[in-house]
Amino acid sequence: MCTVIEEKDVTPVNLSLELEKAVISHRLDEDGSIYVNEPGWFPFWINLKRGNGLVMLVTHTNFKREVSKVQRLEFCNEINSKFFMLTANVSGQTLRVDYSLLYRDGLTRETFIRTCRTFNQNISRAMDELDPDDSIVLAPGEDEEMNISGDSE
């Protein structure tokens, strides 16, 4: 049986409670965003866009410095064309990936949790398939200086 979260009850606190019930590690920030930091997952944020009735799942990381602008754009295009649910774009050296989940008229708990899991799985699959040797994108939280000094290993 599906549990429906009524539209008026789709709040950061209630979404955080649903993540807790599903045993997904996260933190609810003061600004209302939820940072999902489940071990082994690509970390991401959950934000509500109330005016649009959307739950936004968003993550980002950086491209390596030697990756050209054309390579960055091609990488995003590959993600957009091969991996459902994901929308990728580039801003300078940053790779941003997101997904919008409509919650107008309510949201089922199961859909919300499944969306969080699938969002992570698709990002991980995209990175594994498109950058298997980690030559294009830095790992989340990694910076170029860690990469150069070898401290990240």
Side-chain angles (χ1 to χ4, degrees):
M1 176 174 213
C2 290
T3 305
V4 176
I5 306 168
E6 299 294 328
E7 182 175 348
K8 67 179 177 35
D9 295 325
V10 177
T11 65
V13 170
N14 286 338
L15 295 180
S16 177
L17 288 171
E18 295 302 333
L19 291 169
E20 216 169 280
K21 288 178 195 174
V23 194
I24 296 174
S25 180
H26 68 285
R27 150 185 105 225
L28 177 59
D29 292 334
E30 287 182 22
D31 65 359
S33 65
I34 300 170
Y35 180 63
V36 178
N37 56 352
E38 179 70 15
W41 284 25
F42 204 95
F44 62 92
W45 289 262
I46 300 171
N47 298 296
L48 288 181
K49 300 295 182 194
R50 286 217 163 272
N52 298 320
L54 297 172
V55 176
M56 300 290 301
L57 284 66
V58 179
T59 192
H60 64 83
T61 190
N62 290 317
F63 287 98
K64 294 192 173 180
R65 280 192 200 126
E66 63 271 11
V67 177
S68 72
K69 184 175 183 177
V70 170
Q71 289 172 309
R72 286 178 266 157
L73 293 170
E74 288 173 344
F75 190 82
C76 288
N77 282 342
E78 287 291 310
I79 291 173
N80 291 333
S81 67
K82 290 184 176 180
F83 299 92
F84 71 96
M85 282 185 65
L86 302 180
T87 303
N89 63 68
V90 63
S91 176
Q93 287 294 115
T94 302
L95 167 65
R96 183 179 184 275
V97 183
D98 63 40
Y99 176 73
S100 303
L101 176 64
L102 185 67
Y103 71 86
R104 294 254 166 111
D105 297 325
L107 173 66
T108 65
R109 172 196 187 278
E110 293 78 7
T111 297
F112 171 64
I113 296 302
R114 188 175 304 114
T115 298
C116 290
R117 288 184 172 135
T118 305
F119 181 70
N120 166 71
Q121 290 166 353
N122 285 339
I123 292 169
S124 295
R125 279 185 32 238
M127 295 305 138
D128 289 347
E129 185 176 315
L130 302 177
D131 190 20
D133 58 355
D134 300 321
S135 63
I136 299 172
V137 178
L138 294 168
E142 186 179 56
D143 62 30
E144 204 72 32
E145 285 68 39
M146 288 174 69
N147 228 12
I148 292 168
S149 68
D151 292 339
S152 64
E153 298 186 298

PDB file of all heavy atoms in Angstrom, residues 5-8 10-11 15 46-57 99-108 112:
ATOM      1  N   ILE A   5       1.910  11.498   0.713  1.00  0.00           N
ATOM      2  CA  ILE A   5       2.202  12.731   1.441  1.00  0.00           C
ATOM      3  C   ILE A   5       1.400  13.807   0.720  1.00  0.00           C
ATOM      4  O   ILE A   5       1.643  14.087  -0.463  1.00  0.00           O
ATOM      5  CB  ILE A   5       3.705  13.075   1.410  1.00  0.00           C
ATOM      6  CG1 ILE A   5       4.548  11.903   1.916  1.00  0.00           C
ATOM      7  CG2 ILE A   5       3.978  14.333   2.225  1.00  0.00           C
ATOM      8  CD1 ILE A   5       6.041  12.064   1.639  1.00  0.00           C
ATOM      9  N   GLU A   6       0.419  14.377   1.394  1.00  0.00           N
ATOM     10  CA  GLU A   6      -0.411  15.412   0.778  1.00  0.00           C
ATOM     11  C   GLU A   6       0.458  16.598   0.373  1.00  0.00           C
ATOM     12  O   GLU A   6       1.483  16.871   1.010  1.00  0.00           O
ATOM     13  CB  GLU A   6      -1.508  15.871   1.755  1.00  0.00           C
ATOM     14  CG  GLU A   6      -2.472  14.785   2.176  1.00  0.00           C
ATOM     15  CD  GLU A   6      -3.324  14.273   1.027  1.00  0.00           C
ATOM     16  OE1 GLU A   6      -3.644  15.064   0.113  1.00  0.00           O
ATOM     17  OE2 GLU A   6      -3.653  13.073   1.042  1.00  0.00           O
ATOM     18  N   GLU A   7       0.036  17.308  -0.671  1.00  0.00           N
ATOM     19  CA  GLU A   7       0.831  18.429  -1.193  1.00  0.00           C
ATOM     20  C   GLU A   7       1.219  19.412  -0.096  1.00  0.00           C
ATOM     21  O   GLU A   7       2.370  19.844  -0.015  1.00  0.00           O
ATOM     22  CB  GLU A   7       0.059  19.146  -2.297  1.00  0.00           C
ATOM     23  CG  GLU A   7       0.825  20.286  -2.925  1.00  0.00           C
ATOM     24  CD  GLU A   7       0.100  20.918  -4.101  1.00  0.00           C
ATOM     25  OE1 GLU A   7      -0.893  20.355  -4.588  1.00  0.00           O
ATOM     26  OE2 GLU A   7       0.563  21.988  -4.536  1.00  0.00           O
ATOM     27  N   LYS A   8       0.288  19.761   0.774  1.00  0.00           N
ATOM     28  CA  LYS A   8       0.570  20.725   1.848  1.00  0.00           C
ATOM     29  C   LYS A   8       1.589  20.191   2.859  1.00  0.00           C
ATOM     30  O   LYS A   8       2.225  20.954   3.574  1.00  0.00           O
ATOM     31  CB  LYS A   8      -0.720  21.125   2.558  1.00  0.00           C
ATOM     32  CG  LYS A   8      -1.383  20.009   3.345  1.00  0.00           C
ATOM     33  CD  LYS A   8      -2.645  20.493   4.036  1.00  0.00           C
ATOM     34  CE  LYS A   8      -3.409  19.442   4.768  1.00  0.00           C
ATOM     35  NZ  LYS A   8      -2.692  18.387   5.422  1.00  0.00           N
ATOM     36  N   VAL A  10       4.230  18.260   1.981  1.00  0.00           N
ATOM     37  CA  VAL A  10       5.550  18.062   1.362  1.00  0.00           C
ATOM     38  C   VAL A  10       6.429  19.222   1.835  1.00  0.00           C
ATOM     39  O   VAL A  10       6.393  20.323   1.294  1.00  0.00           O
ATOM     40  CB  VAL A  10       5.463  18.005  -0.183  1.00  0.00           C
ATOM     41  CG1 VAL A  10       6.861  17.872  -0.780  1.00  0.00           C
ATOM     42  CG2 VAL A  10       4.586  16.840  -0.625  1.00  0.00           C
ATOM     43  N   THR A  11       7.155  18.956   2.911  1.00  0.00           N
ATOM     44  CA  THR A  11       8.028  19.954   3.538  1.00  0.00           C
ATOM     45  C   THR A  11       9.400  19.330   3.746  1.00  0.00           C
ATOM     46  O   THR A  11       9.532  18.098   3.763  1.00  0.00           O
ATOM     47  CB  THR A  11       7.468  20.390   4.910  1.00  0.00           C
ATOM     48  OG1 THR A  11       7.493  19.255   5.793  1.00  0.00           O
ATOM     49  CG2 THR A  11       6.049  20.950   4.796  1.00  0.00           C
ATOM     50  N   LEU A  15      10.041  15.341   4.435  1.00  0.00           N
ATOM     51  CA  LEU A  15      10.904  14.568   3.530  1.00  0.00           C
ATOM     52  C   LEU A  15      12.092  13.984   4.297  1.00  0.00           C
ATOM     53  O   LEU A  15      12.498  12.847   4.060  1.00  0.00           O
ATOM     54  CB  LEU A  15      11.369  15.421   2.352  1.00  0.00           C
ATOM     55  CG  LEU A  15      10.269  15.895   1.394  1.00  0.00           C
ATOM     56  CD1 LEU A  15      10.871  16.738   0.275  1.00  0.00           C
ATOM     57  CD2 LEU A  15       9.459  14.739   0.839  1.00  0.00           C
ATOM     58  N   ILE A  46      18.524  18.005  -1.666  1.00  0.00           N
ATOM     59  CA  ILE A  46      17.104  18.011  -2.009  1.00  0.00           C
ATOM     60  C   ILE A  46      16.567  19.376  -1.605  1.00  0.00           C
ATOM     61  O   ILE A  46      16.751  19.810  -0.454  1.00  0.00           O
ATOM     62  CB  ILE A  46      16.339  16.899  -1.255  1.00  0.00           C
ATOM     63  CG1 ILE A  46      16.909  15.528  -1.623  1.00  0.00           C
ATOM     64  CG2 ILE A  46      14.846  16.988  -1.560  1.00  0.00           C
ATOM     65  CD1 ILE A  46      16.378  14.386  -0.772  1.00  0.00           C
ATOM     66  N   ASN A  47      15.936  20.058  -2.556  1.00  0.00           N
ATOM     67  CA  ASN A  47      15.341  21.375  -2.307  1.00  0.00           C
ATOM     68  C   ASN A  47      13.912  21.388  -2.806  1.00  0.00           C
ATOM     69  O   ASN A  47      13.612  20.773  -3.835  1.00  0.00           O
ATOM     70  CB  ASN A  47      16.126  22.474  -3.045  1.00  0.00           C
ATOM     71  CG  ASN A  47      17.551  22.575  -2.564  1.00  0.00           C
ATOM     72  OD1 ASN A  47      17.802  22.902  -1.425  1.00  0.00           O
ATOM     73  ND2 ASN A  47      18.494  22.273  -3.446  1.00  0.00           N
ATOM     74  N   LEU A  48      13.058  22.117  -2.109  1.00  0.00           N
ATOM     75  CA  LEU A  48      11.675  22.294  -2.565  1.00  0.00           C
ATOM     76  C   LEU A  48      11.546  23.595  -3.328  1.00  0.00           C
ATOM     77  O   LEU A  48      12.070  24.624  -2.913  1.00  0.00           O
ATOM     78  CB  LEU A  48      10.724  22.328  -1.370  1.00  0.00           C
ATOM     79  CG  LEU A  48      10.476  21.020  -0.655  1.00  0.00           C
ATOM     80  CD1 LEU A  48       9.494  21.230   0.492  1.00  0.00           C
ATOM     81  CD2 LEU A  48       9.951  19.961  -1.589  1.00  0.00           C
ATOM     82  N   LYS A  49      10.844  23.534  -4.437  1.00  0.00           N
ATOM     83  CA  LYS A  49      10.479  24.724  -5.210  1.00  0.00           C
ATOM     84  C   LYS A  49       8.958  24.815  -5.116  1.00  0.00           C
ATOM     85  O   LYS A  49       8.232  24.316  -5.971  1.00  0.00           O
ATOM     86  CB  LYS A  49      10.944  24.605  -6.669  1.00  0.00           C
ATOM     87  CG  LYS A  49      12.432  24.441  -6.839  1.00  0.00           C
ATOM     88  CD  LYS A  49      13.159  25.669  -6.382  1.00  0.00           C
ATOM     89  CE  LYS A  49      14.652  25.505  -6.603  1.00  0.00           C
ATOM     90  NZ  LYS A  49      15.432  26.486  -5.901  1.00  0.00           N
ATOM     91  N   ARG A  50       8.484  25.392  -4.026  1.00  0.00           N
ATOM     92  CA  ARG A  50       7.055  25.417  -3.721  1.00  0.00           C
ATOM     93  C   ARG A  50       6.212  26.021  -4.828  1.00  0.00           C
ATOM     94  O   ARG A  50       5.166  25.475  -5.169  1.00  0.00           O
ATOM     95  CB  ARG A  50       6.802  26.165  -2.422  1.00  0.00           C
ATOM     96  CG  ARG A  50       7.217  25.367  -1.216  1.00  0.00           C
ATOM     97  CD  ARG A  50       6.225  25.608  -0.090  1.00  0.00           C
ATOM     98  NE  ARG A  50       6.358  24.596   0.920  1.00  0.00           N
ATOM     99  CZ  ARG A  50       5.715  23.447   0.904  1.00  0.00           C
ATOM    100  NH1 ARG A  50       4.911  23.143  -0.055  1.00  0.00           N
ATOM    101  NH2 ARG A  50       5.893  22.572   1.878  1.00  0.00           N
ATOM    102  N   GLY A  51       6.620  27.145  -5.376  1.00  0.00           N
ATOM    103  CA  GLY A  51       5.840  27.811  -6.425  1.00  0.00           C
ATOM    104  C   GLY A  51       5.616  26.939  -7.646  1.00  0.00           C
ATOM    105  O   GLY A  51       4.603  27.059  -8.340  1.00  0.00           O
ATOM    106  N   ASN A  52       6.544  26.044  -7.904  1.00  0.00           N
ATOM    107  CA  ASN A  52       6.450  25.153  -9.058  1.00  0.00           C
ATOM    108  C   ASN A  52       5.977  23.747  -8.682  1.00  0.00           C
ATOM    109  O   ASN A  52       5.780  22.910  -9.554  1.00  0.00           O
ATOM    110  CB  ASN A  52       7.812  25.042  -9.753  1.00  0.00           C
ATOM    111  CG  ASN A  52       8.280  26.373 -10.277  1.00  0.00           C
ATOM    112  OD1 ASN A  52       7.503  27.147 -10.805  1.00  0.00           O
ATOM    113  ND2 ASN A  52       9.552  26.661 -10.109  1.00  0.00           N
ATOM    114  N   GLY A  53       5.860  23.476  -7.387  1.00  0.00           N
ATOM    115  CA  GLY A  53       5.456  22.148  -6.942  1.00  0.00           C
ATOM    116  C   GLY A  53       6.487  21.083  -7.263  1.00  0.00           C
ATOM    117  O   GLY A  53       6.135  19.979  -7.657  1.00  0.00           O
ATOM    118  N   LEU A  54       7.763  21.416  -7.065  1.00  0.00           N
ATOM    119  CA  LEU A  54       8.837  20.494  -7.423  1.00  0.00           C
ATOM    120  C   LEU A  54       9.732  20.162  -6.235  1.00  0.00           C
ATOM    121  O   LEU A  54      10.044  21.029  -5.417  1.00  0.00           O
ATOM    122  CB  LEU A  54       9.720  21.094  -8.519  1.00  0.00           C
ATOM    123  CG  LEU A  54       9.075  21.369  -9.867  1.00  0.00           C
ATOM    124  CD1 LEU A  54      10.036  22.137 -10.765  1.00  0.00           C
ATOM    125  CD2 LEU A  54       8.638  20.072 -10.528  1.00  0.00           C
ATOM    126  N   VAL A  55      10.140  18.909  -6.186  1.00  0.00           N
ATOM    127  CA  VAL A  55      11.232  18.473  -5.320  1.00  0.00           C
ATOM    128  C   VAL A  55      12.430  18.364  -6.250  1.00  0.00           C
ATOM    129  O   VAL A  55      12.400  17.600  -7.216  1.00  0.00           O
ATOM    130  CB  VAL A  55      10.941  17.102  -4.663  1.00  0.00           C
ATOM    131  CG1 VAL A  55      12.150  16.638  -3.853  1.00  0.00           C
ATOM    132  CG2 VAL A  55       9.692  17.161  -3.800  1.00  0.00           C
ATOM    133  N   MET A  56      13.467  19.147  -5.982  1.00  0.00           N
ATOM    134  CA  MET A  56      14.664  19.164  -6.832  1.00  0.00           C
ATOM    135  C   MET A  56      15.779  18.363  -6.163  1.00  0.00           C
ATOM    136  O   MET A  56      16.104  18.609  -5.009  1.00  0.00           O
ATOM    137  CB  MET A  56      15.160  20.595  -7.043  1.00  0.00           C
ATOM    138  CG  MET A  56      14.181  21.524  -7.714  1.00  0.00           C
ATOM    139  SD  MET A  56      13.927  21.149  -9.435  1.00  0.00           S
ATOM    140  CE  MET A  56      15.564  21.295 -10.087  1.00  0.00           C
ATOM    141  N   LEU A  57      16.340  17.419  -6.909  1.00  0.00           N
ATOM    142  CA  LEU A  57      17.526  16.690  -6.467  1.00  0.00           C
ATOM    143  C   LEU A  57      18.684  17.248  -7.277  1.00  0.00           C
ATOM    144  O   LEU A  57      18.607  17.303  -8.514  1.00  0.00           O
ATOM    145  CB  LEU A  57      17.369  15.192  -6.720  1.00  0.00           C
ATOM    146  CG  LEU A  57      16.463  14.430  -5.758  1.00  0.00           C
ATOM    147  CD1 LEU A  57      15.030  14.853  -5.863  1.00  0.00           C
ATOM    148  CD2 LEU A  57      16.593  12.950  -5.984  1.00  0.00           C
ATOM    149  N   TYR A  99      17.523  16.627 -11.100  1.00  0.00           N
ATOM    150  CA  TYR A  99      16.286  15.972 -11.489  1.00  0.00           C
ATOM    151  C   TYR A  99      15.150  16.663 -10.750  1.00  0.00           C
ATOM    152  O   TYR A  99      15.287  17.014  -9.576  1.00  0.00           O
ATOM    153  CB  TYR A  99      16.295  14.482 -11.130  1.00  0.00           C
ATOM    154  CG  TYR A  99      14.977  13.812 -11.440  1.00  0.00           C
ATOM    155  CD1 TYR A  99      14.604  13.560 -12.758  1.00  0.00           C
ATOM    156  CD2 TYR A  99      14.082  13.474 -10.431  1.00  0.00           C
ATOM    157  CE1 TYR A  99      13.387  12.974 -13.058  1.00  0.00           C
ATOM    158  CE2 TYR A  99      12.867  12.878 -10.727  1.00  0.00           C
ATOM    159  CZ  TYR A  99      12.520  12.644 -12.038  1.00  0.00           C
ATOM    160  OH  TYR A  99      11.309  12.061 -12.335  1.00  0.00           O
ATOM    161  N   SER A 100      14.025  16.872 -11.425  1.00  0.00           N
ATOM    162  CA  SER A 100      12.853  17.514 -10.834  1.00  0.00           C
ATOM    163  C   SER A 100      11.727  16.499 -10.694  1.00  0.00           C
ATOM    164  O   SER A 100      11.353  15.838 -11.662  1.00  0.00           O
ATOM    165  CB  SER A 100      12.362  18.659 -11.730  1.00  0.00           C
ATOM    166  OG  SER A 100      13.394  19.582 -11.948  1.00  0.00           O
ATOM    167  N   LEU A 101      11.180  16.405  -9.502  1.00  0.00           N
ATOM    168  CA  LEU A 101      10.073  15.496  -9.203  1.00  0.00           C
ATOM    169  C   LEU A 101       8.850  16.335  -8.856  1.00  0.00           C
ATOM    170  O   LEU A 101       8.876  17.107  -7.893  1.00  0.00           O
ATOM    171  CB  LEU A 101      10.458  14.582  -8.028  1.00  0.00           C
ATOM    172  CG  LEU A 101       9.399  13.625  -7.506  1.00  0.00           C
ATOM    173  CD1 LEU A 101       9.011  12.604  -8.580  1.00  0.00           C
ATOM    174  CD2 LEU A 101       9.928  12.911  -6.259  1.00  0.00           C
ATOM    175  N   LEU A 102       7.804  16.214  -9.637  1.00  0.00           N
ATOM    176  CA  LEU A 102       6.576  16.972  -9.422  1.00  0.00           C
ATOM    177  C   LEU A 102       5.811  16.408  -8.228  1.00  0.00           C
ATOM    178  O   LEU A 102       5.636  15.193  -8.120  1.00  0.00           O
ATOM    179  CB  LEU A 102       5.700  16.899 -10.682  1.00  0.00           C
ATOM    180  CG  LEU A 102       4.432  17.725 -10.691  1.00  0.00           C
ATOM    181  CD1 LEU A 102       4.758  19.215 -10.694  1.00  0.00           C
ATOM    182  CD2 LEU A 102       3.589  17.373 -11.910  1.00  0.00           C
ATOM    183  N   TYR A 103       5.368  17.288  -7.318  1.00  0.00           N
ATOM    184  CA  TYR A 103       4.587  16.811  -6.177  1.00  0.00           C
ATOM    185  C   TYR A 103       3.213  17.468  -6.088  1.00  0.00           C
ATOM    186  O   TYR A 103       2.530  17.359  -5.062  1.00  0.00           O
ATOM    187  CB  TYR A 103       5.358  16.977  -4.862  1.00  0.00           C
ATOM    188  CG  TYR A 103       5.519  18.397  -4.367  1.00  0.00           C
ATOM    189  CD1 TYR A 103       4.531  18.998  -3.583  1.00  0.00           C
ATOM    190  CD2 TYR A 103       6.662  19.116  -4.644  1.00  0.00           C
ATOM    191  CE1 TYR A 103       4.690  20.289  -3.107  1.00  0.00           C
ATOM    192  CE2 TYR A 103       6.834  20.402  -4.167  1.00  0.00           C
ATOM    193  CZ  TYR A 103       5.841  20.989  -3.400  1.00  0.00           C
ATOM    194  OH  TYR A 103       6.003  22.255  -2.931  1.00  0.00           O
ATOM    195  N   ARG A 104       2.772  18.108  -7.145  1.00  0.00           N
ATOM    196  CA  ARG A 104       1.424  18.687  -7.146  1.00  0.00           C
ATOM    197  C   ARG A 104       0.413  17.579  -6.880  1.00  0.00           C
ATOM    198  O   ARG A 104       0.527  16.483  -7.412  1.00  0.00           O
ATOM    199  CB  ARG A 104       1.126  19.361  -8.476  1.00  0.00           C
ATOM    200  CG  ARG A 104       1.985  20.563  -8.749  1.00  0.00           C
ATOM    201  CD  ARG A 104       1.179  21.837  -8.568  1.00  0.00           C
ATOM    202  NE  ARG A 104       2.069  22.977  -8.506  1.00  0.00           N
ATOM    203  CZ  ARG A 104       2.138  23.898  -9.443  1.00  0.00           C
ATOM    204  NH1 ARG A 104       1.386  23.822 -10.501  1.00  0.00           N
ATOM    205  NH2 ARG A 104       2.950  24.915  -9.293  1.00  0.00           N
ATOM    206  N   ASP A 105      -0.586  17.857  -6.058  1.00  0.00           N
ATOM    207  CA  ASP A 105      -1.621  16.896  -5.651  1.00  0.00           C
ATOM    208  C   ASP A 105      -1.063  15.775  -4.787  1.00  0.00           C
ATOM    209  O   ASP A 105      -1.731  14.759  -4.577  1.00  0.00           O
ATOM    210  CB  ASP A 105      -2.356  16.296  -6.860  1.00  0.00           C
ATOM    211  CG  ASP A 105      -3.100  17.354  -7.660  1.00  0.00           C
ATOM    212  OD1 ASP A 105      -3.612  18.304  -7.041  1.00  0.00           O
ATOM    213  OD2 ASP A 105      -3.153  17.227  -8.895  1.00  0.00           O
ATOM    214  N   GLY A 106       0.151  15.909  -4.291  1.00  0.00           N
ATOM    215  CA  GLY A 106       0.720  14.932  -3.370  1.00  0.00           C
ATOM    216  C   GLY A 106       1.859  14.136  -3.980  1.00  0.00           C
ATOM    217  O   GLY A 106       2.140  14.218  -5.169  1.00  0.00           O
ATOM    218  N   LEU A 107       2.495  13.391  -3.117  1.00  0.00           N
ATOM    219  CA  LEU A 107       3.668  12.609  -3.496  1.00  0.00           C
ATOM    220  C   LEU A 107       3.642  11.318  -2.684  1.00  0.00           C
ATOM    221  O   LEU A 107       3.440  11.360  -1.471  1.00  0.00           O
ATOM    222  CB  LEU A 107       4.932  13.416  -3.159  1.00  0.00           C
ATOM    223  CG  LEU A 107       6.291  12.773  -3.311  1.00  0.00           C
ATOM    224  CD1 LEU A 107       6.579  12.482  -4.784  1.00  0.00           C
ATOM    225  CD2 LEU A 107       7.370  13.696  -2.751  1.00  0.00           C
ATOM    226  N   THR A 108       3.834  10.194  -3.339  1.00  0.00           N
ATOM    227  CA  THR A 108       3.894   8.968  -2.546  1.00  0.00           C
ATOM    228  C   THR A 108       5.289   8.826  -1.945  1.00  0.00           C
ATOM    229  O   THR A 108       6.292   9.191  -2.568  1.00  0.00           O
ATOM    230  CB  THR A 108       3.564   7.702  -3.364  1.00  0.00           C
ATOM    231  OG1 THR A 108       4.561   7.507  -4.357  1.00  0.00           O
ATOM    232  CG2 THR A 108       2.175   7.787  -3.986  1.00  0.00           C
ATOM    233  N   PHE A 112       9.123   9.019  -3.752  1.00  0.00           N
ATOM    234  CA  PHE A 112      10.186   9.896  -3.279  1.00  0.00           C
ATOM    235  C   PHE A 112      11.454   9.104  -2.974  1.00  0.00           C
ATOM    236  O   PHE A 112      12.549   9.445  -3.445  1.00  0.00           O
ATOM    237  CB  PHE A 112       9.722  10.684  -2.046  1.00  0.00           C
ATOM    238  CG  PHE A 112      10.820  11.450  -1.375  1.00  0.00           C
ATOM    239  CD1 PHE A 112      11.468  12.487  -2.040  1.00  0.00           C
ATOM    240  CD2 PHE A 112      11.227  11.128  -0.093  1.00  0.00           C
ATOM    241  CE1 PHE A 112      12.503  13.192  -1.434  1.00  0.00           C
ATOM    242  CE2 PHE A 112      12.253  11.819   0.524  1.00  0.00           C
ATOM    243  CZ  PHE A 112      12.887  12.853  -0.146  1.00  0.00           C
TER     244      PHE A 112
END
